[in-house]
């Protein structure tokens, strides 16, 4: 590796990310990667991991920490964009890889272009050739690859190749990107499954080509070894050339009203591909149902089969067993079948037997039985490589084959548990883990697998080394009693057995699929990508709580469990249970326990204390001129207070903050939910700086003002570079404004004689506004003051309430075509609007809109509204009346009554004129009729005779 031509020190130079980050483009790139779903680089190694931080975002953070901010910000951004493959030339290459004619596209908005283009990492070999001349010139380097550049920048900044640390490494997205760029990495996580996924990312995806070939060979050997054992049992093939692709099981229970055994099937449809249904055939003598499987039934018959024996109450709260005997329909709540009751202490219990360690299927007296009701068979077509498939009902032979597997597991379970090939671990109660216990009586993790599933997974576990454990986890995830049977999408599009963690819970199922062993072991052959790292990187992985860190790093990029809805420490026990007894040597030093009590969670006092412990330790373990980027998924309104407290108490100082949109509603079914990530950039706080509250106020104002001006100025300078798009939108500037305020605040260790480190961790009494809270809200308010929309004078703006400011600000944004809901969410928080929904006509993620004057009608005039007695609401009301042709004089009379102190306080009238004027200008294109009514109102008020 070449070293820098000029020994140029960056030791005390601010990093680019502390000054600039092209967040709009980065949001588009991040979103693009999130949309790639299964084809994301690291996903195949553990599709069950939820909440992967996009690699492109991690790359921006790491590079942004290494690259210096110079006195030429425009050039800094250009160079950074080249490195991120976000410049026009790179984009053209990325588009060409998709066979797209670039000239036509280059005028389109960046987001649309990115949508059509390859991701930078997909064309890594060709996309960067053109950049190195410019990059080296600007950065005083002589690199021709990222690892060279990173090493040289590391030497300039830290005196050595930089080390990136991530103590909440999860699936390894951050360490992987750091190593791919050429950094040494230190990764740790409390959870051993996280460590394992990180190990896989670094050692398999980042491993050599030869390693990949070797892994494929090992995978094949494992598949052969497992199938040889299973075939020997003769528990799957039908002896006539067909083998089982999937077994379908359902719960069966006795209806207490009729004493019939009823299969619990939410639908009788088995597969949409060839219109296959299950037909229930009553047997009044045995009081049970036979189940016949019919394929290719008529449309009418098929539609009728939609309804099964389990129905919802319509409110989606209770499920009922429903069946008909002698023309009478009987309905029994599933909770009644279980015998749910409330105990004196308010908790729930029921009559289900709790399964024991030796159980693997229901006992004959159990309330819930399990029944095999269909098998999907497959057979090679004559002479071809394709297969014939068919569903069949269950024969005596099938039951005999079930028996073979049951016997085998019954006989070997204790020994397999002893050897650690199948779990022997109890399910500890918890938020997610209560569900299988309560709904099924399952108390050990192996209860979540039926005998066929235990057989396959047990053998895979037994025969696999460290690298093959990733295949094991995929087998577990897609072949358990919690694996949903999907019906497919329609003709020719068959369904199949789906993964347990298609959401982040441990939901029990009334019917589920089990893979035939060939389909189960097929999951071992993961289709993994390969991005070999440069040799000799130091790649350390440890399993410990973040507060226990011992290793020094130059840069920390972390994504802590802030307000995270995923209970990793519970749900990952599903996998831990399989590995903990005999982990391979590579994983043997990790603690194979989720250590729930040490996991950081929630958002209260305990959360803050744990976070401070973690970040304090990272600060202590950070090089003095090191940098930290802390990622927070932006969900809670109290995020700023939390962040400032944690950072302050950890001995850090904020230097910048950015907001990157990571997902929108086309990704999430909820409709209009937007998710973004705040990047908080921090340095070690040096010395014990002191200030008074009064001086602080001035300093914050100056800092915010200068920050807002810098970014606004850069928008102007960079015009032309950005096909008419802003580098920073208002919301980015707002974020930067907040960060500027926090930068000043967290610079000080002592304010008004108070030690801020201890103030920040002082437990809060509910409802109390602490000294720190007061400072933060002052800082945030100061930032907001600089966000006066165009066309509004500051002296009027200062008179308005939060809700009024919100409405006017968002109208300004709408008039410029910005329609993203997350913008509304952010500004509502900024302006402290309690319920901005009341002001919205549409809340679609990418097509949000405020209510017009007409749409408001008479709403939001009452005392409960945040617009109550506001001048803006009165003006909108008047506009509405004018649009409905109410006489001008009458409109004026109403206006004077609606606006408090109209006659006594002249500024109220002035404000009304100003607001009418503002509305008329901003609505000109959006709603010309409303704009014209606002103009009329402005003139009416202006010319009104007073007296
Ligand atoms: C939001 S996730 C990180 C996700 C990761 N950046 C990724 O892209 O996959 C947070 C991680 O923090 C871990 N964690 C929770 N409490 C911890 C603690 N006290 N110490 C270390 N890690 C902890 C969890 O196990 C989880 O892996």
């Amino acid at each position: 590796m070449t070293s820098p031509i000029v020994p140029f020190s960056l030791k005390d130079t601010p990093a680019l990310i502390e000054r600039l980050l092209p967040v709009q483009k980065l949001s588009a790139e991040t979103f693009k990667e999130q949309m790639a779903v299964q084809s994301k680089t690291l996903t195949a190694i553990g599709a069950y991991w939820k909440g992967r931080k996009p690699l492109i975002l991690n790359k921006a953070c790491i590079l942004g920490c290494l690259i210096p901010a110079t006195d030429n910000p425009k050039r800094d951004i250009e160079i950074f964009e080249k490195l991120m493959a976000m410049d026009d030339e790179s984009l053209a290459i990325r588009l060409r890889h998709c066979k797209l004619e670039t000239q036509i596209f280059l005028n389109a908005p960046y987001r649309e272009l990115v949508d059509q283009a390859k991701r930078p990492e997909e064309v890594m070999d060709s996309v960067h050739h053109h950049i190195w001349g410019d990059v080296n010139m600007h950065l005083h380097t002589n690199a021709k690859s990222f690892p060279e550049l990173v090493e040289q920048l590391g030497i300039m900044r830290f005196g050595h190749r930089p080390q990136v640390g991530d103590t909440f490494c999860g699936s390894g997205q951050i360490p992987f990107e750091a190593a791919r760029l050429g950094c040494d990495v230190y990764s740790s996580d409390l959870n051993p499954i996280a460590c394992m996924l990180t190990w896989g990312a670094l050692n398999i995806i980042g491993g050599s080509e030869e390693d990949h070939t070797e892994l494929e060979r090992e995978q094949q050997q494992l598949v052969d070894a497992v199938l040889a054992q299973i075939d020997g049992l003769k528990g799957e093939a039908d002896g006539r050339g067909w083998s089982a692709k999937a077994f379908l099981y359902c719960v069966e229970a006795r209806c207490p009203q009729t004493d019939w055994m009823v299969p619990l099937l939410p639908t009788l449809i088995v597969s949409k591909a060839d219109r296959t249904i299950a037909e229930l055939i009553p047997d009044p003598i045995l009081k049970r149902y036979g189940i016949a499987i019919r394929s290719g039934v008529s449309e009418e018959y098929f539609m009728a089969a939609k309804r099964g024996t389990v129905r919802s109450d319509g409110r989606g709260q209770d499920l009922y067993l429903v069946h008909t005997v002698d023309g009478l329909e009987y309905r029994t709540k599933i909770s009644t079948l279980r015998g749910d009751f409330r105990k004196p202490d308010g908790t729930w219990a029921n009559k289900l037997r709790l399964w024991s360690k030796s159980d693997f299927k229901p006992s004959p007296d159990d309330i819930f039985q399990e029944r095999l009701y269909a098998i999907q068979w497959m057979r090679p077509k004559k002479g071809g490589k394709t297969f014939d498939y068919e569903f069949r009902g269950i024969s005596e032979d099938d039951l005999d084959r079930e028996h073979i597997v049951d016997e085998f597991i019954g006989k070997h379970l204790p020994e397999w548990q002893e050897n650690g090939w199948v779990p022997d671990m109890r399910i500890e109660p918890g938020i997610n883990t209560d569900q299988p216990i309560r709904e099924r009586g399952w108390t050990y993790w192996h209860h979540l697998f039926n005998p066929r599933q235990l057989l396959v997974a047990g053998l895979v576990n037994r025969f696999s080394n460290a690298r093959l454990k990733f295949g094991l986890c995929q087998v577990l995830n897609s072949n358990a009693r919690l694996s949903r049977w999907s019906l497919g999408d329609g003709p020719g599009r068959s369904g199949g057995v789906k993964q347990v963690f298609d959401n982040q819970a441990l939901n029990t199922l009334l019917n589920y699929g089990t893979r035939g062993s060939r389909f189960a072991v097929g999951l071992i052959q993961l289709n993994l990508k390969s991005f070999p790292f440069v040799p000799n990187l130091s790649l350390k992985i440890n399993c410990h709580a973040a507060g226990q860190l011992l290793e020094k790093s130059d840069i920390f990029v972390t994504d802590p469990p802030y307000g995270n809805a995923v209970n990793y420490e519970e749900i990952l026990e599903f996998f831990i249970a399989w590995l903990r007894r005999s982990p391979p040597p590579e994983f043997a030093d990790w603690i194979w326990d989720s250590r729930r009590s040490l996991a950081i969670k929630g958002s209260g006092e305990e959360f803050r204390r744990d976070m401070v412990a973690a970040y304090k330790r990272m600060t202590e373990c950070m090089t003095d001129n090191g940098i930290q980027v802390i990622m927070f998924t932006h969900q809670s309104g109290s995020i700023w207070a939390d962040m400032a407290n944690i950072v302050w108490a950890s001995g850090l100082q904020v230097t910048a903050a950015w907001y990157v949109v990571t997902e929108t509603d086309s990704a999430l079914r909820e409709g209009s939910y937007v998710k973004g990530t705040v990047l908080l950039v921090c340095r070690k706080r040096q010395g014990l700086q002191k200030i008074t509250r009064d001086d602080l106020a001035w300093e914050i104002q100056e800092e915010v003002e200068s920050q807002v001006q810098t970014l606004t100025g850069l928008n102007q300078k960079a015009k032309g570079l950005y096909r008419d798009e802003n580098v920073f939108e208002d919301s980015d500037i707002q974020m930067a404004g907040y960060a500027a305020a926090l930068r000043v605040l967290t610079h000080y260790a002592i304010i008004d004689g108070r030690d801020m480190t201890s103030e920040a961790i002082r437990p809060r009494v509910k409802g109390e506004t602490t000294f720190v809270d007061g400072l933060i809200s002052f800082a945030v308010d100061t930032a907001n003051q600089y966000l006066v929309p165009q066309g509004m004078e500051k002296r009027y703006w200062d008179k308005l309430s939060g809700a009024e400011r919100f409405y006017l600000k968002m109208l300004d944004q709408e008039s410029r075509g910005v329609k993203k809901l997350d913008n509304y969410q952010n500004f509502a928080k900024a302006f402290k609007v309690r319920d901005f929904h009341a002001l919205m006509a549409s809340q679609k993620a990418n097509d949000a809109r405020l209510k017009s004057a007409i749409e408001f009608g008479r709403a939001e005039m009452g005392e409960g509204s945040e617009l109550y007695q506001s001048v803006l609401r009165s003006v909108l009301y008047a506009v509405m009346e004018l649009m409905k042709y109410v006489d001008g004089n009458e409109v004026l009379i109403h206006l004077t009554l609606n606006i408090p102190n109209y006659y006594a306080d002249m500024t109220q009238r002035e404000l009304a004129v100003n607001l009418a004027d503002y509305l008329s200008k901003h609505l000109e294109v959006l709603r010309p009729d409303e704009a014209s009514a606002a103009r009329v109102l402005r003139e009416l008020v202006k010319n009104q005779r007073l007296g």
Side-chain angles (χ1 to χ4, degrees):
M1 191 150 312
T2 29
S3 52
I5 28 175
V6 190
F8 189 83
S9 174
L10 295 177
K11 185 164 172 284
D12 301 315
T13 316
L16 182 91
I17 199 168
E18 294 177 288
R19 294 279 168 81
L20 305 165
L21 196 70
V23 267
Q24 291 300 321
K25 284 190 171 185
L26 190 55
S27 291
E29 298 286 353
T30 303
F31 183 64
K32 163 100 182 167
E33 182 177 329
Q34 292 296 64
M35 289 297 92
V37 196
Q38 294 300 327
S39 77
K40 282 192 261 185
T41 298
L42 299 182
T43 300
I45 208 159
Y48 42 87
W49 185 274
K50 302 294 163 202
R52 289 174 177 274
K53 274 287 166 288
L55 295 172
I56 191 95
L57 181 64
N58 304 339
K59 178 177 178 179
C61 292
I62 297 160
L63 283 179
C65 287
L66 285 168
I67 291 172
T70 71
D71 49 14
N72 184 353
K74 181 166 169 267
R75 190 65 182 152
D76 288 350
I77 286 247
E78 284 169 359
I79 294 298
F80 183 75
E81 289 189 353
K82 284 182 195 291
L83 288 164
M84 295 296 295
M86 302 192 315
D87 59 307
D88 280 354
E89 200 170 331
S90 300
L91 200 54
I93 297 169
R94 292 167 56 189
L95 286 162
R96 273 206 296 280
H97 274 274
C98 298
K99 308 263 177 282
L100 289 169
E101 196 45 68
T102 51
Q103 286 87 327
I104 311 170
F105 284 95
L106 281 175
N107 288 326
Y110 189 77
R111 198 168 275 274
E112 278 173 30
L113 292 173
V114 167
D115 201 35
Q116 309 276 337
K118 288 271 182 203
R119 303 200 306 275
E121 59 174 342
E122 292 175 300
V123 290
M124 229 168 166
D125 292 342
S126 57
V127 79
H128 297 298
H129 291 323
H130 66 281
I131 68 172
W132 297 113
D134 288 345
V135 168
N136 287 327
M137 174 91 81
H138 186 68
L139 298 177
H140 303 274
T141 48
N142 67 346
K144 283 183 213 66
S145 68
F146 279 99
E148 286 180 4
L149 179 77
V150 161
E151 175 147 13
Q152 293 173 19
L153 290 173
I155 290 171
M156 293 179 189
R157 203 173 267 286
F158 305 112
H160 50 252
R161 180 196 290 157
Q163 171 151 311
V164 172
D166 177 6
T167 55
F168 298 105
C169 66
S171 63
Q173 298 273 125
I174 297 168
F176 175 81
E177 191 57 52
R180 182 158 68 167
L181 284 171
C183 304
D184 288 335
V185 294
Y186 180 83
S187 330
S188 61
D189 198 288
L190 183 65
N191 198 297
I193 295 296
C195 294
M196 181 179 123
L197 286 170
T198 303
W199 185 93
L202 298 181
N203 292 282
I204 301 179
I205 314 288
S208 68
E209 298 279 0
E210 298 81 66
D211 286 351
H212 266 253
T213 319
E214 171 63 13
L215 177 60
E216 278 163 22
R217 204 182 52 76
E218 288 174 359
Q219 287 171 341
Q220 190 56 54
Q221 275 179 347
L222 175 61
V223 167
D224 294 344
V226 171
L227 289 183
Q229 297 262 334
I230 292 178
D231 288 347
L233 270 182
K234 302 204 182 315
E236 263 185 30
D238 77 344
R240 288 179 287 134
W242 295 83
S243 56
K245 182 177 180 218
F247 300 86
L248 273 54
Y249 296 85
C250 68
V251 171
E252 194 166 53
R254 194 168 294 285
C255 162
Q257 303 180 63
T258 59
D259 211 29
W260 278 57
M261 279 303 278
V262 185
L264 297 183
L265 286 166
T267 175
L268 296 179
I269 294 177
V270 171
S271 168
K272 291 185 183 171
D274 41 11
R275 281 213 225 109
T276 302
I277 61 153
E279 190 181 355
L280 300 187
I281 302 163
D283 179 343
I285 297 173
L286 293 179
K287 290 195 164 185
R288 68 187 297 274
Y289 290 92
I291 304 180
I293 300 295
R294 307 204 187 292
S295 291
V297 297
S298 70
E299 182 67 19
E300 194 188 346
Y301 217 60
F302 184 70
M303 293 312 282
K306 249 187 173 171
R307 273 152 76 92
T309 55
V310 179
R311 309 220 186 118
S312 140
D313 61 355
R315 286 172 300 149
Q317 283 179 348
D318 286 309
L319 287 180
Y320 288 80
L321 177 163
V322 181
H323 79 135
T324 305
V325 178
D326 296 334
L328 281 181
E329 186 180 272
Y330 295 89
R331 301 169 77 91
T332 313
K333 270 191 196 173
I334 304 282
S335 54
T336 306
L337 294 179
R338 286 195 301 256
D340 282 1
F341 64 93
R342 204 190 274 275
K343 292 199 288 191
D345 65 2
T347 57
W348 286 91
N350 59 38
K351 299 207 173 90
L352 294 184
R353 177 184 73 92
L354 294 179
W355 290 25
S356 72
K357 187 172 160 189
S358 57
D359 283 322
F360 55 90
K361 51 187 278 191
S363 292
D365 293 338
D366 280 347
I367 292 172
F368 289 142
Q369 295 295 311
E370 189 169 73
R371 177 168 176 183
L372 175 65
Y373 69 96
I375 299 178
Q376 185 183 22
W377 295 96
M378 60 187 285
R379 183 181 63 181
K381 283 194 167 128
K382 278 200 186 79
K385 284 191 182 140
T386 50
F387 290 86
D388 284 322
Y389 297 97
E390 64 180 39
F391 287 94
R392 287 187 225 148
I394 303 309
S395 67
E396 282 303 319
D397 287 350
D398 295 327
L399 292 178
D400 288 345
R401 283 187 285 268
E402 286 290 285
H403 191 63
I404 293 175
V405 180
D406 288 0
E407 283 250 294
F408 182 90
I409 292 298
K411 190 164 156 216
H412 292 95
L413 186 65
E415 174 203 340
W416 282 27
Q417 286 179 326
E418 190 58 33
N419 289 333
W421 300 335
V422 296
D424 65 346
M425 181 173 139
R426 266 191 168 280
I427 306 177
E428 292 300 327
I431 298 165
N432 290 121
T433 45
D434 271 353
Q435 206 179 344
I437 305 173
R438 193 180 59 235
E439 293 179 352
R440 284 309 154 74
W442 294 339
T443 54
Y444 281 80
W445 285 100
H446 73 278
H447 296 155
L448 273 57
F449 300 84
N450 72 19
R452 288 188 182 281
Q453 295 166 336
L454 287 172
L455 175 66
V456 175
L459 289 170
V460 172
N461 200 13
R462 176 178 172 182
F463 297 135
S464 55
N465 61 19
R467 285 148 32 106
L468 293 167
K469 294 296 180 201
F470 298 93
L472 167 70
C473 290
Q474 296 290 41
V475 171
L476 300 174
N477 182 32
S478 294
N479 201 32
R481 279 192 165 113
L482 310 187
S483 302
R484 197 166 45 84
W485 171 251
S486 119
L487 307 177
D489 291 339
R493 319 237 335 243
S494 68
V497 184
K498 297 295 170 195
Q499 54 167 338
V500 174
F501 292 106
D502 54 6
N503 65 11
Q504 296 140 16
L506 293 164
N507 296 327
T508 61
L509 299 169
L510 293 170
N511 69 322
Y512 70 92
T514 295
R515 288 170 183 254
S517 49
R518 277 178 171 67
F519 271 87
V521 293
L523 295 163
I524 295 169
Q525 285 160 322
L526 306 171
N527 187 11
L528 299 177
K529 300 206 160 109
S530 167
F531 288 94
F533 299 156
V534 283
N536 305 326
L537 291 184
S538 163
L539 307 170
K540 292 185 202 140
I541 303 168
N542 271 325
C543 186
H544 59 69
Q548 311 291 313
L549 177 68
L550 294 175
E551 172 99 6
K552 216 168 168 128
S553 288
D554 306 304
I555 297 170
F556 281 96
V557 181
T558 48
D559 166 28
Y562 178 90
N564 207 322
V566 187
N567 297 306
Y568 295 102
E569 68 285 357
E570 290 189 18
I571 61 176
L572 294 175
E573 288 175 359
F574 178 88
F575 300 106
I576 292 179
W578 286 82
L579 284 143
R580 67 175 192 129
R581 276 280 205 157
S582 59
E586 291 86 339
F587 308 161
D589 286 343
W590 305 335
I591 297 167
W592 281 93
D593 186 305
S594 62
R595 291 182 287 171
R596 290 189 193 182
S597 64
L598 294 183
I600 298 181
K601 48 185 172 280
S603 56
E605 220 46 72
E606 201 182 333
F607 163 78
R608 284 203 298 154
R609 205 188 50 224
D610 292 349
M611 285 284 279
V612 169
Y615 281 94
K616 204 163 173 228
R617 191 65 204 132
M618 276 183 257
T619 311
E620 286 159 2
C621 289
M622 184 167 77
T623 316
D624 278 346
N625 65 337
I627 308 182
Q628 291 218 15
V629 180
I630 311 173
M631 299 176 172
F632 290 85
T633 297
H634 189 43
Q635 273 165 346
S636 138
S638 62
I639 188 166
W640 291 104
D642 275 347
M643 281 177 172
N645 277 297
I646 291 163
V647 165
W648 227 332
S650 311
L652 289 165
Q653 180 195 346
V654 174
T655 54
W658 307 104
Y659 180 69
V660 179
V661 175
T662 38
E663 279 160 63
T664 76
D665 71 343
S666 52
L668 298 156
R669 262 170 283 134
E670 285 96 311
S672 52
Y673 183 58
V674 185
K675 238 184 172 177
T677 298
V678 174
L679 308 175
L680 198 65
V681 187
C682 302
R683 294 266 191 173
K684 255 186 200 184
R685 188 170 52 239
Q686 305 289 357
L688 275 182
Q689 308 289 340
K690 298 179 189 169
I691 196 167
T692 64
R693 177 80 160 72
D694 289 345
D695 288 346
L696 192 69
W698 289 112
E699 224 180 283
I700 288 179
Q701 278 181 15
E702 271 173 30
E703 186 75 8
V704 170
E705 198 169 2
S706 110
Q707 174 76 71
V708 170
Q709 274 168 7
T710 310
L711 298 195
T712 322
L714 205 74
N715 265 350
Q716 303 306 322
K717 270 198 205 152
K719 280 268 177 277
L721 234 187
Y722 290 86
R723 55 185 86 68
D724 232 20
E725 288 171 83
N726 282 331
V727 192
F728 304 104
E729 289 298 343
D730 275 11
S731 52
D732 307 328
I733 298 178
Q734 172 192 5
M735 185 68 49
Y738 290 173
L742 290 191
R743 180 156 64 224
V744 174
L745 276 185
T746 54
H747 175 69
Y748 292 102
I750 294 170
I751 300 175
D752 273 357
R754 296 190 201 214
D755 171 14
M756 296 317 293
T757 315
S758 37
E759 281 291 329
I761 41 173
R762 198 161 65 81
R764 281 190 222 172
V765 180
K766 218 175 173 188
E768 174 205 23
T769 312
T770 63
F771 182 59
V772 177
D773 290 342
L775 287 173
I776 291 164
S777 70
F778 168 74
V780 167
D781 284 350
T782 309
N784 284 336
Q785 282 168 15
Y786 288 92
L787 298 166
V788 184
Q790 273 177 13
M792 172 66 55
E793 282 181 49
K794 181 129 184 337
R795 61 193 170 112
Y796 293 125
W797 185 248
D798 289 345
K799 282 190 66 151
L800 300 174
S801 70
E804 287 174 291
R805 288 184 187 183
F806 170 80
Y807 190 91
L808 297 170
K809 181 76 188 175
M810 299 329 287
L811 195 62
D812 178 52
Q813 304 250 308
E814 284 181 17
S815 70
R816 288 186 284 121
V818 181
K819 301 184 214 160
K820 283 201 237 117
L821 184 70
D822 72 322
N823 227 12
Y824 291 80
Q825 285 166 352
N826 284 335
F827 276 103
K829 275 176 205 150
F831 293 127
K832 301 212 178 68
V833 181
R834 278 194 318 275
D835 177 22
F836 78 99
H837 307 285
L839 313 185
M840 303 296 294
S842 158
Q843 296 185 55
K844 291 195 187 135
N846 286 319
D847 197 18
R849 184 170 70 73
L850 293 165
K851 280 185 183 156
S852 66
I854 293 274
E855 282 162 332
F856 268 119
R858 290 169 189 280
E860 302 304 312
M861 299 288 283
E863 245 176 271
S865 167
E866 287 172 84
L867 288 176
Y868 176 55
Q869 290 197 334
S870 66
V871 177
L872 174 65
R873 184 65 198 93
S874 312
V875 166
L876 284 168
Y877 189 85
V879 169
M880 180 271 291
E881 286 192 321
L882 285 169
M883 290 178 78
K884 294 198 166 171
Y885 305 108
V886 176
D887 176 75
N889 281 330
E890 222 173 294
V891 172
L892 269 184
I893 292 169
H894 294 161
L895 186 79
T896 53
L897 290 173
N898 285 334
I899 298 181
N901 292 331
Y902 188 85
Y903 291 109
D905 180 354
M906 281 305 285
T907 60
Q908 292 286 74
R909 186 164 154 257
E910 267 179 41
L911 181 57
V913 173
N914 196 274
L915 291 182
D917 183 59
Y918 182 92
L919 292 178
S920 75
K921 290 187 176 131
H922 284 80
L923 290 168
E924 197 62 73
V925 178
L926 283 177
R927 293 189 287 276
D929 291 350
E930 201 177 329
S932 131
R935 244 188 327 271
V936 171
L937 181 69
R938 181 189 64 199
E939 295 310 311
L940 277 175
V941 180
K942 250 193 199 168
N943 301 326
Q944 184 187 15
R945 281 165 190 256
L946 299 175

